[in-house]
Amino acid sequence: MEAMYIPKEYLAILILLIFGVLFGVVTLYVGRFFRLSRPYHEKLIAYESGNDPTEAPRMRFSIKFYLIAILFVVFDVESIYLYPWAVTYDRLGLFALVEMFIFIFLLLAGYVYAWKKEVLQWEK
Amino acid sequence: MNISLLGIVGYLVGIAALVGLNAVILVWLERKVAGHMQFRLGPMEVGPHGILQTLADGIKLVSKQLVIPDEADKPLFLLAPIVSLVPIFAAMVPLPFSETVQAWELNIGLLLIIALGLLNTLGILLAGWGSNNKYALLGGARAVAQILAYKIPLLICVMTIIMMTGSFSLRDIAIAQKDTWNVLYQPILFIVYIITVTLETNRSPFDFSEAESELVAGFHTEYSGMGFSLFFLAEYSYMFIAAGLATVLFLGGWHGPWLPGVAWTLIKIYSIIFLMMWFRWTFPRVRIDQMLSFGWKILLPLSLINFIITAGVLAL
């Protein structure tokens, strides 16, 4: 059986991510040994400028944010396709360029449509 | 590349020292810059010109109570600062400080930094949701709305540079600018980049997720002590990473006359950070709908047109 390829550089990234988690956990908890902890009711209610909280904080958001998120996903996926294209751009030639222009143009049509439908309009 | 245990420990210590030192210097620098721009002196008491003030503040913050509200979602509330902080160590790895000084050379270093940079927003959203506080949730929601509007121009910006260089490796991108810096070819992109990273690091005039005059303290309203300081450690480290990326992408990395490469890199990085601080104490905060419209209606078409023109020019 062939030896499994382990990309060592990314192993280092993994180690640093684990280090980040440990650093966060340790710094959050290390103060426990020498800091005060005197919780009481008034301190532990949600902060609303000194008043008692009036209603549940998890409110509804405008449907617009949903449309914006969809638009974001569209362009995000676009950039996923464009990145490999961009990195090999000098080897692809004119055909790939024209194809990519068609791709961007199709997305721009959707973008213009969203703009005309006032998805990007916040004020009435 | 041969990685020994000792080497890994060495890198860990080096990167942790860089993160810590950078945060200490930047917090001090920010207060000094703020002070002098308002005809004050800023911190002066602890150490010469107050240079040790941040350490004193750090000791104070460690010993402060960590208040977790009753209503808060406790696991998420504690997870949020950690999520914000975790990627900064790994994101320092591919940054080249000179031809030879770099933690690791990664062939997709640029993608790694961009991907890890997004985790900051996730941490802010978690903080907003986990706090179960109106102001915090609004701050978290704003952070997401603004990152949605500004991530695309940033991605297209970076893509244009990749297209010009033909590599994801930050070292290759810097080497390609040996003679001419990219900022001379792409001045518009440089401006777009600076705007987007100012926003990505939640700096004024785009600090909507904090917006202390509107939302108390935004996403970190309920955080005290170390929870609060971890967010700020992360914020200042992200500033360093964003400025480092700007240096490599647009300002020619370590290239410059007379001084050694590392010195040039640090000079460029801290100049960009100074520029971002200057923004903060000069511009008033814009309104959130103005900011979203600006991102979607101006920056996105602008960077896309720039991308298409660059592609066309390169093809000729």
Side-chain angles (χ1 to χ4, degrees):
Chain A
M1 211 174 116
E2 279 181 53
M4 204 171 71
Y5 172 63
I6 300 170
K8 283 188 179 135
E9 297 90 344
Y10 301 101
L11 200 65
I13 297 288
L14 182 68
I15 291 170
L16 275 169
L17 287 174
I18 294 168
F19 174 74
V21 175
L22 289 179
F23 183 84
V25 172
V26 168
T27 44
L28 273 181
Y29 280 92
V30 74
R32 171 170 275 192
F33 303 108
F34 53 90
R35 70 182 169 217
L36 291 172
S37 183
R38 285 191 198 129
Y40 47 89
H41 175 69
E42 283 77 14
K43 191 186 271 178
L44 294 180
I45 57 178
Y47 181 79
E48 261 190 58
S49 313
N51 300 325
D52 286 343
T54 45
E55 53 196 276
R58 291 182 180 162
M59 72 286 272
R60 290 180 168 187
F61 285 102
S62 166
I63 188 75
K64 280 228 166 101
F65 287 107
Y66 177 74
L67 292 172
I68 290 290
I70 295 286
L71 203 56
F72 172 77
V73 170
V74 168
F75 276 98
D76 212 26
V77 173
E78 178 208 4
S79 63
I80 291 171
Y81 282 118
L82 281 180
Y83 266 76
W85 173 81
V87 77
T88 53
Y89 178 74
D90 51 348
R91 276 163 276 160
L92 287 177
L94 200 62
F95 176 69
L97 180 70
V98 173
E99 254 194 354
M100 199 45 72
F101 278 174
I102 294 170
F103 178 57
I104 292 175
F105 177 76
L106 287 176
L107 283 169
L108 276 182
Y111 170 73
V112 171
Y113 178 74
W115 191 332
K116 289 285 170 218
K117 281 284 179 184
E118 299 193 333
V119 173
L120 308 174
Q121 190 79 36
W122 272 269
E123 273 183 299
K124 281 279 180 282
Chain B
M1 191 182 289
N2 186 22
I3 295 175
S4 62
L5 191 66
L6 197 68
I8 287 177
V9 173
Y11 283 127
L12 269 182
V13 172
I15 289 176
L18 181 65
V19 168
L21 202 64
N22 172 61
V24 168
I25 291 172
L26 283 191
V27 173
W28 173 79
L29 191 67
E30 174 121 70
R31 297 179 64 180
K32 275 299 197 194
V33 168
H36 284 282
M37 282 187 182
Q38 298 164 347
F39 299 101
R40 294 183 287 115
L41 287 174
M44 287 298 280
E45 296 294 327
V46 192
H49 286 266
I51 185 84
L52 299 175
Q53 182 69 46
T54 318
L55 291 178
D57 287 347
I59 293 168
K60 183 198 77 173
L61 283 166
V62 171
S63 60
K64 285 282 176 189
Q65 290 183 52
L66 192 66
V67 178
I68 303 174
D70 280 338
E71 292 289 307
D73 192 333
K74 198 177 166 187
L76 289 188
F77 186 82
L78 289 175
L79 190 64
I82 299 174
V83 168
S84 241
L85 182 85
V86 163
I88 60 174
F89 299 104
M92 293 272 182
V93 169
L95 270 188
F97 290 92
S98 83
E99 185 106 36
T100 47
V101 181
Q102 184 185 19
W104 275 283
E105 164 65 12
L106 296 178
N107 53 1
I108 55 153
L110 190 50
L111 287 184
L112 184 85
I113 290 185
I114 293 171
L116 289 174
L118 265 180
L119 276 176
N120 187 28
T121 306
L122 183 62
I124 290 174
L125 181 65
L126 279 180
W129 184 261
S131 298
N132 214 345
N133 173 311
K134 281 171 202 160
Y135 301 119
L137 183 57
L138 277 174
R142 282 176 168 200
V144 175
Q146 71 183 37
I147 208 71
L148 293 192
Y150 281 75
K151 201 68 190 178
I152 305 290
L154 180 66
L155 286 174
I156 294 173
C157 235
V158 170
M159 190 150 59
T160 314
I161 301 294
I162 290 173
M163 191 167 64
M164 289 166 69
T165 317
S167 172
F168 288 125
S169 154
L170 287 169
R171 182 193 272 172
D172 289 352
I173 291 172
I175 288 173
Q177 300 173 69
K178 196 172 192 319
D179 300 318
T180 326
W181 296 357
N182 278 338
V183 67
L184 296 175
Y185 295 120
Q186 300 285 4
I188 299 173
L189 271 195
F190 182 64
I191 295 168
V192 172
Y193 180 84
I194 291 292
I195 293 174
T196 47
V197 296
T198 309
L199 197 131
E200 204 193 337
T201 48
N202 294 316
R203 302 278 307 170
S204 181
F206 305 115
D207 56 344
F208 303 102
S209 53
E210 285 177 51
E212 62 273 2
S213 55
E214 302 164 18
L215 296 180
V216 186
F219 69 92
H220 60 75
T221 303
E222 298 286 5
Y223 282 89
S224 59
M226 276 322 280
F228 171 81
S229 15
L230 288 188
F231 276 122
F232 276 83
L233 182 60
E235 182 185 317
Y236 284 109
S237 305
Y238 277 117
M239 273 175 81
F240 184 84
I241 293 164
L245 211 52
T247 304
V248 174
L249 291 182
F250 294 100
L251 300 181
W254 59 83
H255 294 300
W258 307 308
L259 292 170
V262 180
W264 268 115
T265 310
L266 290 178
I267 288 171
K268 288 170 187 172
I269 288 176
Y270 282 100
S271 308
I272 291 174
I273 289 174
F274 176 73
L275 187 71
M276 286 160 85
M277 289 178 176
W278 196 351
F279 286 168
R280 173 165 177 182
W281 302 105
T282 310
F283 298 136
R285 185 180 306 120
V286 295
R287 222 169 55 212
I288 186 150
D289 63 299
Q290 292 171 333
M291 184 276 294
L292 292 174
S293 300
F294 182 68
W296 281 107
K297 292 182 178 172
I298 296 175
L299 285 187
L300 175 58
L302 191 66
S303 52
L304 209 53
I305 289 167
N306 201 315
F307 175 70
I308 291 169
I309 291 173
T310 311
V313 169
L314 285 179
L316 292 176

